[in-house]
Amino acid sequence: MAALRVLVGVKRVIDYAVKVRPAPGGGAPGDLPRPLRVQTQGVKHSLNPFCEIALEEAVRLKEKGAASEVIAVSVGTKASQETLRTALAVGADRAVLLEVGEGQAVGPREVATALAALAGRLQPQLLLLGKQAIDDDCNQTGQMLAAMLDWPQGTFASRLELESGAVLVEREVDGGLEKLRLRLPAVLTADLRLNEPRYATLPNIMKAKKKPLEVIPAAELGGTPPDPPRLKILKLEEPPARGGGQKVQDVPALLEGLKQAGRI
């Protein structure tokens, strides 16, 4: 089996340990409620957890000799270079940033368009992505990308195994597990149970600074957001605070309380 070139999509997101809050101030057009942005200044960002899993699987394929090269790619602002350096420290060989301007909101369609064009340039045999990002939870990019490339797709992959010219995928569905055999090239999206990502070691973090990181304007590859945008945010606010709990003496008191609250 010939070794594969693997392209891994990664995204920079607000760290999942950070409490996300609406940003103070403006940004609301006309009479729409304010604020309409999430606070990002001074907030820790990190590599999207599902993208970490996809990257880990690609690195493991290379360690087994099944992959010849692992290329990490991100569609985002200049700040996404930090995320790509993390991917290089984990084990990617090189990285590509498809750069968009500050304040440009790219959606799954624009990301998939740019990735499809880059795949046409780099000719990978396997495209690995996280099944979704934890900031927008769209779960659309992998599916759109496969459609644009007209490649087979295996979404929510919990196990994969390479064969000659094909990949066996075990994926999680509502009724249990489904097994697919896909011809290469193919698009796969990673689920939580695919693997346990490693931590980047200090020596690898230092080595990552010398690995190549290419910057390409996303506009060259069709990743420019539409004008006017397809999506408009009408309101953004924190959820209401939780009320305190209430103790009851026994089950009859619990039932009576639920009746009075109209729950039963």
Side-chain angles (χ1 to χ4, degrees):
M1 178 178 65
L4 311 176
R5 171 177 289 171
V6 183
L7 192 63
V8 185
V10 297
K11 186 178 182 182
R12 179 179 184 260
V13 297
I14 294 177
D15 193 275
Y16 54 85
V18 175
K19 180 170 179 163
V20 178
R21 296 182 181 277
D31 58 352
L32 294 180
R34 295 174 178 237
L36 290 184
R37 298 193 306 270
V38 170
Q39 176 65 41
T40 58
Q41 290 292 338
V43 175
K44 181 183 177 183
H45 287 70
S46 63
L47 179 60
N48 178 52
F50 289 103
C51 299
E52 281 188 290
I53 296 169
L55 176 63
E56 172 67 25
E57 195 65 23
V59 173
R60 291 187 185 190
L61 289 175
K62 185 177 180 188
E63 290 173 345
K64 294 175 184 176
S68 60
E69 185 180 31
V70 175
I71 307 170
V73 56
S74 185
V75 181
T77 63
K78 186 177 181 180
S80 296
Q81 291 190 31
E82 178 187 355
T83 302
L84 288 170
R85 289 295 177 193
T86 300
L88 292 170
V90 170
D93 298 296
R94 59 188 174 106
V96 180
L97 173 62
L98 306 181
E99 188 174 5
V100 299
E102 293 290 341
Q104 286 188 309
V106 292
R109 182 173 178 176
E110 291 72 45
V111 173
T113 300
L115 290 178
L118 184 66
R121 290 187 183 186
L122 300 180
Q123 295 295 308
Q125 289 76 46
L126 191 62
L127 252 163
L128 271 168
L129 296 87
K131 71 171 184 177
Q132 65 192 75
I134 62 170
D135 51 4
D136 55 24
D137 275 334
C138 283
N139 182 20
Q140 297 172 345
T141 304
Q143 293 88 328
M144 289 183 178
L145 179 56
M148 291 175 181
L149 292 170
D150 195 23
W151 288 5
Q153 61 177 298
T155 56
F156 320 125
S158 57
R159 190 174 71 86
L160 67 88
E161 182 181 344
L162 288 173
E163 291 185 345
S164 179
V167 58
L168 295 176
V169 180
E170 187 172 270
R171 60 187 298 267
E172 299 186 0
V173 295
D174 291 341
L177 296 175
E178 179 181 57
K179 294 184 179 181
L180 301 174
R181 186 178 186 274
L182 308 175
R183 292 192 304 272
L184 296 175
V187 176
L188 303 182
T189 68
D191 208 345
L192 281 173
R193 279 157 284 280
L194 182 58
N195 59 52
E196 183 70 30
R198 72 191 70 186
Y199 290 101
T201 63
L202 182 58
N204 287 336
I205 291 173
M206 301 306 294
K207 291 177 184 177
K209 295 179 180 180
K210 297 181 180 180
K211 290 184 178 180
L213 195 162
E214 182 181 5
V215 179
I216 302 173
E220 288 186 14
L221 302 176
T224 304
D227 187 22
R230 297 187 183 92
L231 179 66
K232 291 184 179 180
I233 300 175
L234 300 181
K235 191 174 184 181
L236 181 64
E237 61 184 2
E238 292 189 56
R242 280 189 183 180
Q246 182 180 354
K247 291 184 178 180
V248 294
Q249 298 297 322
D250 49 32
V251 173
L254 172 62
L255 295 175
E256 182 61 30
L258 290 174
K259 287 179 182 178
Q260 292 179 1
R263 304 299 185 186
I264 58 175

